[in-house]
Amino acid sequence: VAGTGPDDQASIVVGGEGSAVGSLNTSSGALGISGSGVWEVEVTVTEESTMPTLRIPFESGHTYTSPAASKARRRWNVSVVAADLAVYQALQSFYNSHNGMEIPFSFVVPILDRDEATETVVAWFSSDGLTVREVGPQVYNVTFTVDEELVA
């Protein structure tokens, strides 16, 4: 989208930016995908947190390092175990409809916060595709990662 002033430039959409489209809920032993349904499946979610850093190397060999943001970015590693074909196809459709990492969505964090409540954040897929392993006839283990968007 181009502005109207002499110094305005067209904006460039960057993956993971923008408004959330749809939702993914992995809490309470069920998988909920907006527009697709809810399935009783085994879902395991682990959380890791990293503080983005800014590094500036100098010709002297020294490096300046500082936080690039005031808040740590959370990443969730999600594993859906023994999903049937319908669950696998729904996950793949949700991933494809978001162009993989491109379009953010609402993610219900299945790990309770300090107040013993769930939290919904704007997030996007950070894995380059779903990792799928067939463990039986039309039964799949599906894993993927989701990153929190720091600025919504």
Side-chain angles (χ1 to χ4, degrees), residues 16-21 73 76 103-107 120-124 146-152:
E17 291 184 335
S19 300
V21 177
R73 181 183 306 275
W76 297 275
I103 301 171
F105 53 90
S106 294
F107 180 67
T120 301
V121 299
V122 176
W124 69 89
V146 174
D147 276 6
E148 176 180 28
E149 180 178 82
L150 292 182
V151 180

Side-chain angles (χ1 to χ4, degrees), residues 21-136:
V21 177
S23 66
L24 183 63
N25 184 347
T26 59
S27 58
S28 303
L31 176 67
I33 302 173
S34 62
S36 295
V38 177
W39 294 272
E40 293 293 324
V41 294
E42 181 181 342
V43 180
T44 304
V45 180
T46 58
E47 180 179 315
E48 54 190 65
S49 183
T50 58
M51 180 63 83
T53 57
L54 173 66
R55 297 181 190 275
I56 302 173
F58 294 98
E59 290 180 13
S60 65
H62 295 86
T63 302
Y64 171 79
T65 305
S66 71
S70 60
K71 182 179 175 186
R73 181 183 306 275
R74 294 178 290 176
R75 170 175 282 178
W76 297 275
N77 300 300
V78 181
S79 296
V80 181
V81 180
D84 65 21
L85 183 61
V87 173
Y88 164 55
Q89 288 175 332
L91 273 169
Q92 188 66 59
S93 293
F94 187 78
Y95 182 87
N96 292 344
S97 72
H98 288 78
N99 295 327
M101 303 177 195
E102 193 172 314
I103 301 171
F105 53 90
S106 294
F107 180 67
V108 179
V109 179
I111 300 167
L112 299 179
D113 64 14
R114 282 179 261 147
D115 299 325
E116 298 295 317
T118 58
E119 166 187 20
T120 301
V121 299
V122 176
W124 69 89
F125 289 105
S126 54
S127 47
D128 188 22
L130 304 176
T131 302
V132 181
R133 188 170 59 96
E134 189 169 15
V135 295

